[in-house]
């Protein structure tokens, strides 16, 4: 049987180094299979998060050969076999151990977002067309790869000012829900730092669900914020109405 | 040593954060209880997220003739009348309200032309009944529940594993747990506890279940003295992936067949014509799983030992729209374009019909203060679950469990327990670090999966089951000696050593019950007893711990009221 070398980060918040493991390669094998082989045969204490192994839960995120990916959807045969495959934890989050990082910040951000708020007196009739429009955002599996790759978080560490692509996607899903009556524009502008995104589209590139995060979520939300706060007509109207 | 833990206190403690646990927590909160939810993974990763096909509810949006009575009848028939009839009735009556409520909390379902929630056909359901969102219904459901929970103020303890329920004067009053991240201990004081931990699939080699489904909730309840019921009924979903090896067992949603998918063998024969000519591919899961198994066993399987499942006769755009995650799953993991050619599929261990015995109205187990809902509880599905009845089960009985647990907590005195239980739990949990055995928990787990896969699978015999009991006893000894290295910091090998204990308990319960039931009914098929036995239609298998050992009893099924009998008698088809 063919073999591959996995070069996996071993360590914790105090530091660590990569360790090489030789792993037999079966047809169709994915990186997560290789990590499971290491756990089962070579290093039972290797810390890895995973659940569904089918690209539906978003637990097994890591950086494979430098690219943020779901390890359950990364095929070994898509990677060069003549050199070690490096598997590192997501860089934007504090390390806990090996490939497991502390993603609790995401859950704190999420709790700031006002929930779905049905408009008063709605009849619960929706057209499929309206459903289709927001389905894309609701596909998000919360793998946090977009958060990992986003330079505002990864390089500039603006976790206090910036919610990150994941939560712009969530808000887009709420704002464009056909029956939602809430308004999250102020929140986006003042607390979630939407303006810090300079639309480099890195998030869209790594999204395993192929959500067009920048084009379909972030840009329309930016437009909403502009309409609400920077549109001269609206500003004038607001002045006249005194609010 | 006993002071080495933190303590948290809640009125209601909920173990498990899938659909049932989250729905229970919302209801308990609505009752004014303080609620803690403990889960082994991150919030939102529970198995509910993987549910694909839909939620069964007789809303009659597509087929106007549908109503709760038909849903009740389908459920009872699918379960071969071993279901708790009261649960089946409540489930059929309350599901539509639970779905509407989900919609009011923000879930967005696919729609009919009229703008109502769209419903699709599924195996064993007379009418188009499954409310769905493409093939990612579970994701929509869990996000809706989790976001509402966080908003309403549940305290979530993520990546935390409960290893023991604490008992005082015969009722549960708390639980002992460890944080997976740090390995530190935490003790929960609670007036009532809801177990919503899901199933036990990880005891089998080929399974659609994730690492979490190790039967811990059932094992916790069993150790606390609760009765387990009908543990022999393990559902093998007919369609799991079979190739490549790494993806073996991953679920292929029944929605493929619901949308018109056809099963064929190697020779191109539509073999369901032989096994269930009336319902064909949309027969119940037990029947379809056995049919595929038989085709393969008799040499008519595909290259990799499965059957072909084909939806490529439908327009490619339709397939991509109705089954998007199946399209991607096969494309990315198996190099198969399902809009152009067939998938290879075979049975995979999927769901546990048996579990903790509960009262239909309150979801309370046989131990005061201990409740159970969802897959961890037994009763609703009898000997075989219909697709789509699981998500509705989570909502209906999750709500009932949360309500009853909160009401119980209001009446209950403050939580107290004897600290020696905590000392014991600590000692047991840390033992693998000082054990002398040379095997790792992973090796023992592989052996356990082989035993359950080979000896307690789709078809069973007395010889195999007796052999399995002998093997399980050996594995229990091995598991108790298995050792782990490294520290307590996020150490999966150590985590598995506790999960292994739970899997061994439930595996033994399954095997004992399967050995006793000398008939074939629903998901339980005995080659040596191939027919239904009317005597076994009248009783449940009960597993309970007595003086430290596993004991099996039988318990008669309560007589069904006349009006429900009449519903079953209508339409004999």
């Amino acid at each position: 049987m063919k073999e591959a070398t996995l070069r996996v980060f071993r360590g914790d918040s105090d530091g660590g180094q990569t360790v090489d493991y030789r792993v037999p390669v079966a047809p169709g094998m994915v990186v997560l299979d290789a990590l499971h082989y290491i756990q089962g045969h070579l290093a039972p204490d290797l810390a890895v998060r995973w659940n569904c192994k089918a690209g539906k839960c978003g637990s097994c995120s890591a950086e494979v050969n430098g690219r943020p990916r779901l390890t359950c959807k990364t095929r070994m045969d898509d990677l060069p076999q003549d050199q070690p495959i490096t598997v590192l934890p997501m860089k934007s989050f504090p390390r806990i151990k090996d490939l497991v990082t502390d993603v609790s910040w995401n859950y704190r951000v999420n709790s700031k977002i006002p929930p779905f708020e049905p408009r008063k007196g709605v009849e619960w009739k929706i057209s499929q067309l309206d459903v289709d429009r927001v389905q894309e955002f609701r596909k998000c599996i919360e793998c946090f790869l977009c958060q990992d790759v986003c330079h505002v978080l990864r390089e500039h560490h603006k976790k206090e000012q910036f919610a990150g692509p994941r939560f712009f996607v969530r808000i887009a899903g709420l704002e464009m829900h056909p029956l939602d009556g809430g308004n999250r524009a102020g929140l986006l502008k003042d607390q979630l730092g939407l303006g810090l995104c300079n639309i480099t589209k890195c998030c869209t590139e790594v999204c395993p669900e192929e959500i067009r995060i920048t084009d379909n979520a972030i840009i329309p939300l930016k437009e909403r914020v502009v309409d609400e706060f920077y549109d001269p007509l609206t500003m004038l109207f607001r002045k006249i109405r005194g609010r | 040593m006993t002071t080495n833990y933190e303590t948290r206190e809640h009125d209601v403690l909920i173990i498990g954060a899938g659909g049932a646990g989250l729905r229970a927590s919302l209801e308990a909160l609505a009752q004014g209880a303080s609620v803690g939810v403990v889960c082994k993974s991150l919030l939102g990763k529970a198995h509910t997220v993987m549910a694909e096909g839909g939620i069964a509810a007789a809303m009659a949006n597509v087929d106007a003739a549908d109503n709760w009575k038909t849903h009740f009848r389908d459920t009872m028939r699918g379960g071969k009348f071993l279901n708790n009839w009261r649960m089946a009735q409540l489930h059929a009556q309350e599901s539509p309200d639970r779905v509407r409520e989900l919609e009011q909390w923000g879930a967005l379902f696919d729609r009919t032309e009229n703008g109502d929630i769209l419903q699709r056909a599924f195996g064993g359901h007379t009418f188009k009944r499954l409310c769905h969102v493409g093939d990612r219904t579970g994701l929509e459901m869990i996000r809706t529940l989790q976001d509402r929970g966080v908003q309403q103020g549940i305290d979530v303890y993520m990546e935390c594993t409960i290893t023991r329920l604490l008992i005082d004067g015969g009722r549960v009053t708390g639980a002992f747990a460890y944080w997976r991240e740090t390995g530190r201990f935490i003790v929960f004081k609670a007036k009532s506890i809801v177990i919503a931990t899901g199933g036990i699939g990880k005891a089998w080699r080929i399974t659609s279940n994730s690492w979490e489904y190790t039967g811990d909730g059932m094992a916790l309840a069993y150790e606390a003295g609760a009765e387990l019921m009908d543990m022999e009924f393990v559902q093998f979903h007919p369609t799991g992936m079979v190739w490549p090896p790494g993806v073996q067992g991953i679920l292929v949603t029944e929605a493929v067949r619901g949308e018109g998918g056809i099963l064929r063998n190697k020779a191109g024969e539509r073999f369901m014509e032989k096994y269930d000519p009336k319902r064909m591919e949309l027969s119940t899961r037990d029947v379809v799983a056995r049919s595929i198994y038989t085709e393969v066993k008799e040499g008519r399987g595909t290259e990799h030992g499965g059957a072909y499942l084909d939806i490529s006769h439908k327009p490619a755009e339709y397939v991509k729209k109705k089954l998007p995650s199946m399209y991607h799953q096969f494309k990315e993991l198996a190099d198969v374009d399902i809009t152009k050619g067939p998938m290879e599929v075979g049975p995979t261990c999927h769901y546990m019909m048996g579990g903790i015995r509960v009262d239909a109205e309150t979801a309370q187990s046989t131990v005061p203060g201990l409740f159970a809902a969802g897959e961890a509880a037994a009763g609703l599905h009898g000997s075989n679950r219909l697709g789509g009845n699981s998500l509705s089960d989570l909502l209906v009985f999750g709500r009932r469990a949360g309500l009853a647990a909160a009401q119980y907590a209001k009446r209950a005195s403050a939580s107290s327990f004897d600290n020696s239980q905590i000392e014991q739990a600590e000692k047991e949990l840390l033992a693998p670090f000082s054990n002398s055995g040379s095997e790792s928990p992973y090796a023992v787990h592989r052996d356990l999966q082989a035993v359950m896969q080979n000896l307690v699978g789709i078809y069973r015999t007395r010889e195999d089951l007796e052999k399995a009991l002998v093997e399980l006893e050996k594995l229990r000894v091995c598991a108790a000696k298995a050792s782990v290295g490294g520290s307590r910091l996020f150490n999966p090998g150590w985590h598995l050593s506790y999960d292994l204990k739970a899997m061994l308990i439930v595996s033994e319960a399954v095997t004992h019950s399967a050995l006793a039931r000398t008939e074939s009914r629903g998901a339980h098929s005995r080659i040596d007893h191939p027919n239904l036995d009317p005597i076994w239609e009248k009783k449940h298998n009960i597993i309970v711990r007595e003086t430290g050992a596993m004991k099996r009893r039988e318990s008669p099924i309560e007589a069904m009221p006349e009006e429900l009998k009449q519903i079953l008698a209508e339409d004999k088809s």
Side-chain angles (χ1 to χ4, degrees):
Chain A
M1 195 177 244
K2 279 198 305 183
E3 283 197 349
T5 300
L6 258 76
R7 184 164 286 173
V8 184
F9 177 80
R10 300 299 314 267
D12 52 35
S13 53
D14 296 332
Q17 69 290 312
T18 57
V19 176
D20 285 1
Y21 298 97
R22 294 289 287 167
V23 174
V25 179
M29 190 165 164
V30 294
V31 170
L32 183 59
D33 291 323
L35 295 170
H36 281 163
Y37 180 88
I38 296 169
Q39 279 187 327
H41 298 89
L42 305 170
D45 64 341
L46 172 68
V48 177
R49 277 201 187 100
W50 71 283
N51 283 74
C52 74
K53 221 179 100 49
K56 294 192 176 69
C57 74
S59 303
C60 63
S61 305
E63 300 188 2
V64 181
N65 283 354
R67 188 181 163 84
R69 308 189 68 144
L70 291 180
T71 57
C72 75
K73 281 176 84 178
T74 306
R75 294 263 296 254
M76 297 287 279
D77 53 17
D78 284 343
L79 302 168
Q81 301 277 303
D82 53 345
Q83 46 196 299
I85 296 164
T86 60
V87 189
L88 306 180
M90 287 193 282
K91 187 180 164 224
S92 293
F93 303 110
R95 278 183 210 141
I96 292 174
K97 188 184 159 200
D98 305 337
L99 301 177
V100 173
T101 55
D102 179 357
V103 294
S104 56
W105 167 78
N106 292 287
Y107 289 88
R108 289 196 295 278
V109 174
N110 193 35
S111 65
K112 292 184 197 165
I113 299 173
F116 169 66
E117 189 187 315
R119 286 196 302 275
K120 294 263 179 304
V122 290
E123 279 186 68
W124 294 87
K125 299 271 184 187
I126 306 174
S127 94
Q128 183 64 36
L129 216 63
D130 286 334
V131 174
D132 290 343
R133 197 167 297 131
V134 284
Q135 291 290 25
E136 178 179 16
F137 310 124
R138 306 175 74 90
K139 286 197 300 188
C140 171
I141 56 174
E142 298 203 319
C143 62
F144 304 132
L145 290 174
C146 57
Q147 308 287 74
D148 182 41
V149 79
C150 177
H151 66 103
V152 181
L153 299 167
R154 190 181 178 97
E155 315 295 340
H156 304 290
H157 313 288
K158 298 229 183 268
K159 288 205 179 80
E160 294 310 310
Q161 295 110 290
F162 186 66
R166 157 58 189 140
F167 297 105
F168 300 140
V169 166
R170 167 138 197 257
I171 291 175
L174 290 166
E175 288 277 300
M176 297 182 213
H177 187 301
L179 305 182
D180 180 70
N183 182 342
R184 299 160 190 86
L187 179 82
L188 282 165
K189 174 175 158 285
D190 298 330
Q191 288 183 52
L192 304 182
L194 182 68
L196 288 171
C197 165
N198 57 349
I199 52 175
T200 52
K201 299 197 180 185
C202 311
C203 50
T204 304
E205 277 175 34
V206 300
C207 178
E209 284 293 314
E210 298 177 359
I211 302 170
R212 296 182 63 197
I213 302 173
T214 317
D215 290 351
N216 294 354
I218 293 179
I219 292 175
L221 289 178
K222 280 176 177 273
E223 285 167 354
R224 271 185 198 214
V225 171
V226 168
D227 286 349
E228 183 92 11
F229 295 98
Y230 303 106
D231 178 54
L233 275 177
T234 315
M235 283 164 95
L236 186 69
F237 188 61
R238 196 173 289 164
K239 222 167 218 168
I240 295 165
R241 286 182 52 188
R243 55 172 275 250
Chain B
M1 179 159 159
T2 53
T3 52
N4 201 11
Y5 55 82
E6 60 182 301
T7 305
R8 298 296 179 94
E9 192 159 358
H10 290 283
D11 296 328
V12 179
L13 184 72
I14 290 166
I15 310 176
L22 290 172
R23 188 63 190 81
S25 70
L26 288 171
E27 201 61 25
L29 267 183
Q31 296 294 312
S34 103
V35 179
V37 177
V38 183
C39 51
K40 290 206 289 185
S41 282
L42 296 173
L43 184 61
K45 309 298 185 191
H47 231 296
T48 304
V49 80
M50 288 190 67
E52 292 164 351
I55 311 177
M59 304 183 78
N61 289 349
V62 175
D63 287 329
D66 201 9
N67 56 41
W68 76 263
K69 291 176 182 174
T70 320
H71 192 181
F72 167 77
R73 187 165 59 223
D74 290 344
T75 302
M76 293 296 294
R77 237 178 232 173
K80 292 277 186 291
F81 308 102
L82 207 63
N83 323 51
N84 177 318
W85 49 261
R86 180 62 180 151
M87 287 175 86
Q89 179 186 17
L90 290 169
H91 168 255
Q93 288 172 331
E94 294 177 6
S95 295
D97 280 345
R98 297 288 81 76
V99 172
R100 279 189 274 270
E101 187 173 73
L102 214 53
E103 179 169 67
Q104 283 156 17
W105 295 341
L108 207 46
F109 294 95
D110 283 348
R111 316 307 290 194
T112 64
E113 297 269 308
N114 293 333
D116 296 319
I117 294 174
L118 181 61
Q119 303 187 270
R120 66 159 50 118
F122 238 58
H125 292 281
T126 304
F127 296 110
K128 288 186 175 163
R129 189 176 283 147
L130 267 71
C131 309
H132 62 276
V133 191
D135 58 1
R136 50 162 204 87
T137 314
L139 174 66
E140 188 72 14
M141 176 161 145
I142 200 166
R143 282 290 178 274
T144 304
L145 293 172
Q146 95 188 59
D147 287 338
R148 186 169 174 85
V150 167
Q151 213 64 41
Q152 304 271 311
I154 51 171
D155 286 317
V156 185
Y157 302 86
M158 296 197 286
E159 299 194 311
C160 184
T161 301
I162 307 271
T163 68
R164 183 180 289 236
L165 299 180
L166 306 172
I167 305 288
D168 187 54
R171 76 171 177 115
V172 293
T173 48
F176 176 85
Y178 71 92
W179 291 105
R180 301 176 77 82
E181 180 183 327
T182 58
R184 294 207 184 95
F185 300 141
I186 173 165
V187 169
F188 293 96
K189 292 181 157 185
K191 290 178 182 160
S192 60
I193 291 183
V194 178
I195 290 182
T197 49
I200 67 171
K202 255 327 194 195
W204 280 261
R205 189 172 64 78
I206 301 174
T207 176
S208 63
N209 290 189
S210 85
W211 69 268
E212 291 198 272
Y213 297 84
T214 53
D216 354 0
M218 294 177 204
L220 289 170
Y222 165 80
E223 293 214 304
E227 292 181 1
L228 304 181
M229 188 172 93
D230 295 338
M231 293 292 283
E232 63 272 41
F233 297 106
V234 178
Q235 178 167 77
F236 291 83
H237 193 292
T239 60
M241 291 176 81
V242 297
W243 184 260
V247 302
Q248 202 175 27
I250 292 178
L251 190 67
V252 178
T253 174
E254 186 169 331
V256 176
R257 284 172 286 137
E259 296 292 345
I262 289 168
L263 285 164
R264 288 200 177 86
N265 62 20
K266 183 170 71 178
E269 292 158 345
R270 194 172 174 188
F271 56 81
M272 286 310 296
E273 283 168 357
K274 281 186 292 190
Y275 302 97
D276 189 346
K278 192 165 166 230
R279 295 183 297 183
M280 299 290 281
E281 281 82 4
L282 289 182
S283 180
T284 49
R285 289 178 173 177
D286 51 340
V287 175
V288 183
R290 278 193 295 270
S291 307
I292 295 176
Y293 182 92
T294 305
E295 289 297 304
V296 176
K297 190 105 185 169
E298 293 177 358
R300 295 184 295 278
T302 60
E303 185 188 353
H304 302 109
Y308 290 119
L309 174 61
D310 196 358
I311 187 81
S312 63
H313 52 280
K314 294 267 177 186
E317 283 316 305
Y318 181 82
V319 173
K320 283 188 208 170
K321 181 158 164 47
K322 296 308 277 188
L323 304 162
S325 64
M326 285 304 106
Y327 174 75
H328 286 286
Q329 185 171 308
F330 273 89
K331 188 119 185 148
E332 283 158 29
L333 299 177
D335 300 322
V336 169
D337 182 344
I338 67 169
T339 66
K340 295 205 171 82
M343 303 158 239
E344 272 184 275
V345 296
T348 179
C349 181
H350 184 56
Y351 187 86
M352 181 62 177
M353 272 75 68
I356 301 164
R357 184 184 207 179
V358 291
D359 171 65
E361 312 284 337
T362 63
Q364 185 162 217
S365 75
T366 51
V367 172
L370 183 64
F371 300 76
E375 190 174 352
L380 169 61
H381 309 292
S383 67
N384 174 60
R385 175 174 72 81
L386 297 184
N389 271 1
S390 173
L391 292 188
S392 41
D393 172 12
L394 306 183
L395 295 172
V396 168
F397 293 101
R399 178 187 153 275
R400 284 185 163 267
L403 179 67
Q407 286 171 343
Y408 181 96
K410 278 181 197 162
R411 298 189 307 266
S413 55
S415 157
S416 67
F417 38 76
D418 162 16
N419 278 343
S420 67
Q421 296 176 68
I422 296 171
E423 283 169 47
Q424 274 177 17
E426 287 184 355
K427 211 172 125 192
E428 183 186 40
L429 196 53
L430 291 176
F433 287 111
S434 47
N435 274 349
S436 56
S438 57
E439 280 195 296
S440 92
Y442 283 100
V444 183
H445 187 205
R446 283 193 291 273
D447 292 344
L448 168 66
Q449 289 181 320
V451 168
M452 295 308 282
Q453 187 74 34
N454 299 333
L455 303 175
V456 198
I458 293 189
Y459 279 109
R460 300 159 175 180
T461 65
R462 186 171 70 102
E463 289 69 32
D464 282 354
L465 294 167
E466 282 174 346
K467 197 169 155 207
L469 284 175
V470 174
E471 295 297 319
L472 288 173
E473 180 53 28
K474 285 189 212 156
L475 287 170
R476 204 175 56 78
V477 175
C478 276
K481 283 195 282 192
S483 59
V484 298
S487 74
R488 282 161 67 177
L489 189 69
F490 212 115
N491 185 337
W494 177 44
H495 300 167
L496 180 60
S497 55
Y498 167 74
D499 292 341
L500 201 49
K501 178 192 158 190
M503 279 189 272
L504 282 160
I505 290 172
V506 292
S507 297
E508 193 186 337
V510 169
T511 312
H512 272 302
S513 305
L515 185 59
R517 185 172 283 272
T518 47
E519 67 157 354
S520 292
R521 179 181 300 274
H524 171 68
S525 309
R526 286 279 298 261
I527 291 176
D528 45 354
H529 298 276
N531 301 315
L532 286 166
D533 180 344
I535 292 168
W536 275 105
E537 192 170 310
K538 296 186 169 55
K539 54 192 183 183
H540 295 294
N541 257 325
I542 302 293
I543 295 286
V544 67
R545 190 182 194 205
E546 274 172 10
T547 56
M550 189 176 282
K551 292 281 182 322
R552 188 191 65 86
R553 286 203 295 262
E554 289 163 13
S555 167
I557 289 181
E558 215 182 310
M560 194 185 296
E562 248 349 280
E563 70 264 24
L564 294 183
K565 276 189 191 159
Q566 273 172 22
I567 294 172
L568 293 183
E570 289 164 26
D571 179 31
K572 285 276 186 198
S573 60

